[in-house]
Amino acid sequence: MKGDDAAAVAPGAEAGCGPNCEQALGRLFAYVDSELPADDAAQVRAHVEDCRPCLDEMAVETMLKELVKRCCQEQAPADLRLKIHARLTEIRVTRTV
């Protein structure tokens, strides 16, 4: 998920936050997933360090990500992986021709 999601604002989080919270929270998923450019990540990190509600929201998102990671460790069956790889190769060849 990319970081321009205004839906990332937690209920009640905006109450104790300043004007930069909506922007920081909108990029929180991308920040937690290390998908932001360095300068954007630094801005989010600086904001979260000074804003307790946003820090709390980041903690929730980080915890959720870790929970999903622990619970979803299954791998696709080998035959399914081969079929997907073959199809992607076919699509690539078709588009480049």
Side-chain angles (χ1 to χ4, degrees), residues 80-95:
L80 176 60
R81 295 176 80 178
L82 289 173
K83 287 178 186 178
I84 291 170
H85 185 269
R87 182 68 179 132
L88 289 172
T89 302
E90 180 182 317
I91 290 170
R92 260 189 240 128
V93 169
T94 303
R95 288 188 179 172

Side-chain angles (χ1 to χ4, degrees), residues 47-63:
H47 174 80
V48 168
E49 288 173 354
D50 292 333
C51 180
R52 181 59 190 238
C54 290
L55 178 63
D56 291 345
E57 184 64 20
M58 186 176 81
V60 169
E61 296 305 328
T62 302
M63 201 177 338

Side-chain angles (χ1 to χ4, degrees), residues 13-53:
E14 61 278 356
C17 292
N20 295 325
C21 293
E22 187 174 330
Q23 183 181 25
L25 290 172
R27 297 185 294 170
L28 193 60
F29 287 116
Y31 176 78
V32 170
D33 289 339
S34 301
E35 295 176 349
L36 290 177
D39 56 331
D40 290 346
Q43 288 176 349
V44 172
R45 183 174 37 257
H47 174 80
V48 168
E49 288 173 354
D50 292 333
C51 180
R52 181 59 190 238

